[in-house]
mmCIF file with all atom_site columns, all heavy atoms in Angstrom:
data_model
loop_
_atom_site.group_PDB
_atom_site.id
_atom_site.type_symbol
_atom_site.label_atom_id
_atom_site.label_alt_id
_atom_site.label_comp_id
_atom_site.label_asym_id
_atom_site.label_entity_id
_atom_site.label_seq_id
_atom_site.pdbx_PDB_ins_code
_atom_site.Cartn_x
_atom_site.Cartn_y
_atom_site.Cartn_z
_atom_site.occupancy
_atom_site.B_iso_or_equiv
_atom_site.pdbx_formal_charge
_atom_site.auth_seq_id
_atom_site.auth_comp_id
_atom_site.auth_asym_id
_atom_site.auth_atom_id
_atom_site.pdbx_PDB_model_num
ATOM 1   N N   . THR A 1 2   ? 0.356   2.348   -0.565  1.00 45.00 ? 2   THR A N   1
ATOM 2   C CA  . THR A 1 2   ? 1.121   3.601   -0.490  1.00 45.00 ? 2   THR A CA  1
ATOM 3   C C   . THR A 1 2   ? 0.833   4.228   0.860   1.00 45.00 ? 2   THR A C   1
ATOM 4   O O   . THR A 1 2   ? -0.100  3.866   1.542   1.00 45.00 ? 2   THR A O   1
ATOM 5   C CB  . THR A 1 2   ? 0.643   4.560   -1.602  1.00 45.00 ? 2   THR A CB  1
ATOM 6   O OG1 . THR A 1 2   ? -0.725  4.882   -1.376  1.00 45.00 ? 2   THR A OG1 1
ATOM 7   C CG2 . THR A 1 2   ? 0.853   3.891   -2.957  1.00 45.00 ? 2   THR A CG2 1
ATOM 8   N N   . GLU A 1 42  ? -0.826  -4.346  33.381  1.00 92.00 ? 42  GLU A N   1
ATOM 9   C CA  . GLU A 1 42  ? -1.863  -4.242  34.418  1.00 92.00 ? 42  GLU A CA  1
ATOM 10  C C   . GLU A 1 42  ? -3.112  -5.008  33.967  1.00 92.00 ? 42  GLU A C   1
ATOM 11  O O   . GLU A 1 42  ? -3.508  -5.042  32.819  1.00 92.00 ? 42  GLU A O   1
ATOM 12  C CB  . GLU A 1 42  ? -2.236  -2.747  34.592  1.00 92.00 ? 42  GLU A CB  1
ATOM 13  C CG  . GLU A 1 42  ? -1.105  -1.909  35.127  1.00 92.00 ? 42  GLU A CG  1
ATOM 14  C CD  . GLU A 1 42  ? -1.507  -0.428  35.273  1.00 92.00 ? 42  GLU A CD  1
ATOM 15  O OE1 . GLU A 1 42  ? -2.459  -0.002  34.611  1.00 92.00 ? 42  GLU A OE1 1
ATOM 16  O OE2 . GLU A 1 42  ? -0.847  0.264   36.054  1.00 92.00 ? 42  GLU A OE2 1
ATOM 17  N N   . SER A 1 150 ? 12.051  15.365  14.671  1.00 69.00 ? 150 SER A N   1
ATOM 18  C CA  . SER A 1 150 ? 10.676  15.676  14.197  1.00 69.00 ? 150 SER A CA  1
ATOM 19  C C   . SER A 1 150 ? 10.326  14.949  12.950  1.00 69.00 ? 150 SER A C   1
ATOM 20  O O   . SER A 1 150 ? 10.850  15.272  11.890  1.00 69.00 ? 150 SER A O   1
ATOM 21  C CB  . SER A 1 150 ? 10.577  17.219  13.980  1.00 69.00 ? 150 SER A CB  1
ATOM 22  O OG  . SER A 1 150 ? 10.886  17.958  15.123  1.00 69.00 ? 150 SER A OG  1
ATOM 23  N N   . GLY A 1 174 ? -12.729 17.123  16.827  1.00 96.00 ? 174 GLY A N   1
ATOM 24  C CA  . GLY A 1 174 ? -13.702 18.044  17.332  1.00 96.00 ? 174 GLY A CA  1
ATOM 25  C C   . GLY A 1 174 ? -15.009 17.326  17.719  1.00 96.00 ? 174 GLY A C   1
ATOM 26  O O   . GLY A 1 174 ? -16.075 17.962  17.724  1.00 96.00 ? 174 GLY A O   1
ATOM 27  N N   . GLY A 1 189 ? -8.225  -4.228  44.341  1.00 97.00 ? 189 GLY A N   1
ATOM 28  C CA  . GLY A 1 189 ? -6.995  -4.931  44.607  1.00 97.00 ? 189 GLY A CA  1
ATOM 29  C C   . GLY A 1 189 ? -7.047  -6.363  44.117  1.00 97.00 ? 189 GLY A C   1
ATOM 30  O O   . GLY A 1 189 ? -8.087  -7.059  44.297  1.00 97.00 ? 189 GLY A O   1
ATOM 31  N N   . GLY A 1 221 ? -6.290  -16.670 43.379  1.00 97.00 ? 221 GLY A N   1
ATOM 32  C CA  . GLY A 1 221 ? -6.448  -15.321 43.831  1.00 97.00 ? 221 GLY A CA  1
ATOM 33  C C   . GLY A 1 221 ? -7.779  -14.737 43.485  1.00 97.00 ? 221 GLY A C   1
ATOM 34  O O   . GLY A 1 221 ? -8.630  -15.368 42.811  1.00 97.00 ? 221 GLY A O   1
ATOM 35  N N   . PRO A 1 237 ? -4.840  2.349   46.773  1.00 96.00 ? 237 PRO A N   1
ATOM 36  C CA  . PRO A 1 237 ? -5.151  2.059   48.226  1.00 96.00 ? 237 PRO A CA  1
ATOM 37  C C   . PRO A 1 237 ? -4.010  1.171   48.827  1.00 96.00 ? 237 PRO A C   1
ATOM 38  O O   . PRO A 1 237 ? -3.451  0.345   48.074  1.00 96.00 ? 237 PRO A O   1
ATOM 39  C CB  . PRO A 1 237 ? -6.461  1.333   48.165  1.00 96.00 ? 237 PRO A CB  1
ATOM 40  C CG  . PRO A 1 237 ? -6.527  0.707   46.842  1.00 96.00 ? 237 PRO A CG  1
ATOM 41  C CD  . PRO A 1 237 ? -5.769  1.652   45.906  1.00 96.00 ? 237 PRO A CD  1
ATOM 42  N N   . TRP A 1 254 ? -12.978 -13.021 56.240  1.00 98.00 ? 254 TRP A N   1
ATOM 43  C CA  . TRP A 1 254 ? -12.221 -12.825 55.021  1.00 98.00 ? 254 TRP A CA  1
ATOM 44  C C   . TRP A 1 254 ? -11.001 -11.957 55.276  1.00 98.00 ? 254 TRP A C   1
ATOM 45  O O   . TRP A 1 254 ? -11.129 -10.863 55.873  1.00 98.00 ? 254 TRP A O   1
ATOM 46  C CB  . TRP A 1 254 ? -13.167 -12.147 54.017  1.00 98.00 ? 254 TRP A CB  1
ATOM 47  C CG  . TRP A 1 254 ? -14.119 -13.090 53.314  1.00 98.00 ? 254 TRP A CG  1
ATOM 48  C CD1 . TRP A 1 254 ? -14.400 -14.377 53.677  1.00 98.00 ? 254 TRP A CD1 1
ATOM 49  C CD2 . TRP A 1 254 ? -14.969 -12.792 52.214  1.00 98.00 ? 254 TRP A CD2 1
ATOM 50  N NE1 . TRP A 1 254 ? -15.289 -14.921 52.847  1.00 98.00 ? 254 TRP A NE1 1
ATOM 51  C CE2 . TRP A 1 254 ? -15.670 -13.980 51.941  1.00 98.00 ? 254 TRP A CE2 1
ATOM 52  C CE3 . TRP A 1 254 ? -15.145 -11.708 51.428  1.00 98.00 ? 254 TRP A CE3 1
ATOM 53  C CZ2 . TRP A 1 254 ? -16.617 -14.076 50.859  1.00 98.00 ? 254 TRP A CZ2 1
ATOM 54  C CZ3 . TRP A 1 254 ? -16.057 -11.784 50.351  1.00 98.00 ? 254 TRP A CZ3 1
ATOM 55  C CH2 . TRP A 1 254 ? -16.797 -12.967 50.104  1.00 98.00 ? 254 TRP A CH2 1
ATOM 56  N N   . ALA A 1 293 ? -19.300 -2.164  36.089  1.00 89.00 ? 293 ALA A N   1
ATOM 57  C CA  . ALA A 1 293 ? -20.392 -3.120  36.400  1.00 89.00 ? 293 ALA A CA  1
ATOM 58  C C   . ALA A 1 293 ? -20.773 -3.904  35.184  1.00 89.00 ? 293 ALA A C   1
ATOM 59  O O   . ALA A 1 293 ? -21.095 -3.368  34.111  1.00 89.00 ? 293 ALA A O   1
ATOM 60  C CB  . ALA A 1 293 ? -21.597 -2.368  36.920  1.00 89.00 ? 293 ALA A CB  1
ATOM 61  N N   . THR A 1 300 ? -17.583 -4.283  24.506  1.00 97.00 ? 300 THR A N   1
ATOM 62  C CA  . THR A 1 300 ? -18.166 -3.454  23.459  1.00 97.00 ? 300 THR A CA  1
ATOM 63  C C   . THR A 1 300 ? -17.083 -2.942  22.552  1.00 97.00 ? 300 THR A C   1
ATOM 64  O O   . THR A 1 300 ? -17.281 -2.880  21.335  1.00 97.00 ? 300 THR A O   1
ATOM 65  C CB  . THR A 1 300 ? -18.861 -2.279  24.162  1.00 97.00 ? 300 THR A CB  1
ATOM 66  O OG1 . THR A 1 300 ? -19.756 -2.748  25.157  1.00 97.00 ? 300 THR A OG1 1
ATOM 67  C CG2 . THR A 1 300 ? -19.652 -1.481  23.132  1.00 97.00 ? 300 THR A CG2 1
ATOM 68  N N   . ASP A 1 320 ? -18.825 -0.520  -1.924  1.00 92.00 ? 320 ASP A N   1
ATOM 69  C CA  . ASP A 1 320 ? -19.495 0.776   -1.837  1.00 92.00 ? 320 ASP A CA  1
ATOM 70  C C   . ASP A 1 320 ? -19.041 1.522   -0.560  1.00 92.00 ? 320 ASP A C   1
ATOM 71  O O   . ASP A 1 320 ? -19.270 0.994   0.598   1.00 92.00 ? 320 ASP A O   1
ATOM 72  C CB  . ASP A 1 320 ? -20.972 0.625   -1.853  1.00 92.00 ? 320 ASP A CB  1
ATOM 73  C CG  . ASP A 1 320 ? -21.741 1.936   -1.899  1.00 92.00 ? 320 ASP A CG  1
ATOM 74  O OD1 . ASP A 1 320 ? -21.196 2.981   -1.709  1.00 92.00 ? 320 ASP A OD1 1
ATOM 75  O OD2 . ASP A 1 320 ? -22.965 1.855   -2.145  1.00 92.00 ? 320 ASP A OD2 1
ATOM 76  N N   . ALA A 1 335 ? -23.406 0.645   22.001  1.00 96.00 ? 335 ALA A N   1
ATOM 77  C CA  . ALA A 1 335 ? -22.669 1.289   23.138  1.00 96.00 ? 335 ALA A CA  1
ATOM 78  C C   . ALA A 1 335 ? -23.660 1.888   24.086  1.00 96.00 ? 335 ALA A C   1
ATOM 79  O O   . ALA A 1 335 ? -23.444 1.810   25.343  1.00 96.00 ? 335 ALA A O   1
ATOM 80  C CB  . ALA A 1 335 ? -21.672 2.342   22.591  1.00 96.00 ? 335 ALA A CB  1
ATOM 81  N N   . THR A 1 370 ? -38.251 -16.242 39.936  1.00 96.00 ? 370 THR A N   1
ATOM 82  C CA  . THR A 1 370 ? -39.000 -16.431 38.675  1.00 96.00 ? 370 THR A CA  1
ATOM 83  C C   . THR A 1 370 ? -38.128 -16.693 37.471  1.00 96.00 ? 370 THR A C   1
ATOM 84  O O   . THR A 1 370 ? -38.638 -16.977 36.423  1.00 96.00 ? 370 THR A O   1
ATOM 85  C CB  . THR A 1 370 ? -39.847 -15.200 38.443  1.00 96.00 ? 370 THR A CB  1
ATOM 86  O OG1 . THR A 1 370 ? -39.010 -14.048 38.234  1.00 96.00 ? 370 THR A OG1 1
ATOM 87  C CG2 . THR A 1 370 ? -40.880 -14.922 39.565  1.00 96.00 ? 370 THR A CG2 1
ATOM 88  N N   . VAL A 1 378 ? -28.590 -11.796 31.731  1.00 93.00 ? 378 VAL A N   1
ATOM 89  C CA  . VAL A 1 378 ? -27.511 -12.518 31.048  1.00 93.00 ? 378 VAL A CA  1
ATOM 90  C C   . VAL A 1 378 ? -27.452 -12.216 29.589  1.00 93.00 ? 378 VAL A C   1
ATOM 91  O O   . VAL A 1 378 ? -26.334 -11.867 29.077  1.00 93.00 ? 378 VAL A O   1
ATOM 92  C CB  . VAL A 1 378 ? -27.573 -14.013 31.397  1.00 93.00 ? 378 VAL A CB  1
ATOM 93  C CG1 . VAL A 1 378 ? -26.506 -14.791 30.574  1.00 93.00 ? 378 VAL A CG1 1
ATOM 94  C CG2 . VAL A 1 378 ? -27.410 -14.267 32.858  1.00 93.00 ? 378 VAL A CG2 1
ATOM 95  N N   . GLY A 1 430 ? -30.114 -8.473  9.600   1.00 89.00 ? 430 GLY A N   1
ATOM 96  C CA  . GLY A 1 430 ? -29.559 -7.878  10.848  1.00 89.00 ? 430 GLY A CA  1
ATOM 97  C C   . GLY A 1 430 ? -29.599 -8.833  12.033  1.00 89.00 ? 430 GLY A C   1
ATOM 98  O O   . GLY A 1 430 ? -28.991 -8.530  13.079  1.00 89.00 ? 430 GLY A O   1
ATOM 99  N N   . PRO A 1 440 ? -20.575 -32.107 6.893   1.00 92.00 ? 440 PRO A N   1
ATOM 100 C CA  . PRO A 1 440 ? -19.783 -31.599 5.759   1.00 92.00 ? 440 PRO A CA  1
ATOM 101 C C   . PRO A 1 440 ? -19.565 -32.731 4.746   1.00 92.00 ? 440 PRO A C   1
ATOM 102 O O   . PRO A 1 440 ? -19.211 -33.843 5.117   1.00 92.00 ? 440 PRO A O   1
ATOM 103 C CB  . PRO A 1 440 ? -18.499 -31.156 6.413   1.00 92.00 ? 440 PRO A CB  1
ATOM 104 C CG  . PRO A 1 440 ? -18.363 -31.955 7.646   1.00 92.00 ? 440 PRO A CG  1
ATOM 105 C CD  . PRO A 1 440 ? -19.748 -32.187 8.165   1.00 92.00 ? 440 PRO A CD  1
ATOM 106 N N   . ALA A 1 446 ? -16.095 -28.144 8.608   1.00 95.00 ? 446 ALA A N   1
ATOM 107 C CA  . ALA A 1 446 ? -16.871 -27.624 9.695   1.00 95.00 ? 446 ALA A CA  1
ATOM 108 C C   . ALA A 1 446 ? -18.086 -28.451 10.016  1.00 95.00 ? 446 ALA A C   1
ATOM 109 O O   . ALA A 1 446 ? -18.853 -28.736 9.076   1.00 95.00 ? 446 ALA A O   1
ATOM 110 C CB  . ALA A 1 446 ? -17.261 -26.147 9.364   1.00 95.00 ? 446 ALA A CB  1
ATOM 111 N N   . ARG A 1 502 ? -23.739 -40.449 -6.312  1.00 59.00 ? 502 ARG A N   1
ATOM 112 C CA  . ARG A 1 502 ? -23.283 -41.828 -6.260  1.00 59.00 ? 502 ARG A CA  1
ATOM 113 C C   . ARG A 1 502 ? -21.764 -41.967 -6.294  1.00 59.00 ? 502 ARG A C   1
ATOM 114 O O   . ARG A 1 502 ? -21.277 -42.898 -5.740  1.00 59.00 ? 502 ARG A O   1
ATOM 115 C CB  . ARG A 1 502 ? -23.998 -42.623 -7.358  1.00 59.00 ? 502 ARG A CB  1
ATOM 116 C CG  . ARG A 1 502 ? -25.498 -42.677 -7.294  1.00 59.00 ? 502 ARG A CG  1
ATOM 117 C CD  . ARG A 1 502 ? -26.101 -43.417 -8.425  1.00 59.00 ? 502 ARG A CD  1
ATOM 118 N NE  . ARG A 1 502 ? -27.526 -43.514 -8.356  1.00 59.00 ? 502 ARG A NE  1
ATOM 119 C CZ  . ARG A 1 502 ? -28.331 -44.001 -9.261  1.00 59.00 ? 502 ARG A CZ  1
ATOM 120 N NH1 . ARG A 1 502 ? -27.789 -44.573 -10.361 1.00 59.00 ? 502 ARG A NH1 1
ATOM 121 N NH2 . ARG A 1 502 ? -29.637 -43.999 -9.146  1.00 59.00 ? 502 ARG A NH2 1
ATOM 122 N N   . ALA A 1 556 ? -27.471 -6.561  -5.677  1.00 78.00 ? 556 ALA A N   1
ATOM 123 C CA  . ALA A 1 556 ? -27.700 -5.149  -5.865  1.00 78.00 ? 556 ALA A CA  1
ATOM 124 C C   . ALA A 1 556 ? -28.004 -4.457  -4.581  1.00 78.00 ? 556 ALA A C   1
ATOM 125 O O   . ALA A 1 556 ? -27.803 -3.224  -4.376  1.00 78.00 ? 556 ALA A O   1
ATOM 126 C CB  . ALA A 1 556 ? -28.840 -4.913  -6.846  1.00 78.00 ? 556 ALA A CB  1
ATOM 127 N N   . LEU A 1 561 ? -21.307 -6.828  -2.227  1.00 83.00 ? 561 LEU A N   1
ATOM 128 C CA  . LEU A 1 561 ? -21.467 -7.659  -3.452  1.00 83.00 ? 561 LEU A CA  1
ATOM 129 C C   . LEU A 1 561 ? -21.936 -6.835  -4.649  1.00 83.00 ? 561 LEU A C   1
ATOM 130 O O   . LEU A 1 561 ? -21.818 -7.253  -5.734  1.00 83.00 ? 561 LEU A O   1
ATOM 131 C CB  . LEU A 1 561 ? -22.529 -8.715  -3.186  1.00 83.00 ? 561 LEU A CB  1
ATOM 132 C CG  . LEU A 1 561 ? -22.273 -9.703  -2.004  1.00 83.00 ? 561 LEU A CG  1
ATOM 133 C CD1 . LEU A 1 561 ? -23.452 -10.678 -1.901  1.00 83.00 ? 561 LEU A CD1 1
ATOM 134 C CD2 . LEU A 1 561 ? -21.013 -10.545 -2.289  1.00 83.00 ? 561 LEU A CD2 1
#
Side-chain angles (χ1 to χ4, degrees):
T2 63
E42 296 179 339
S150 299
W254 283 9
T300 310
D320 186 349
T370 60
V378 175
R502 295 178 181 177
L561 299 176

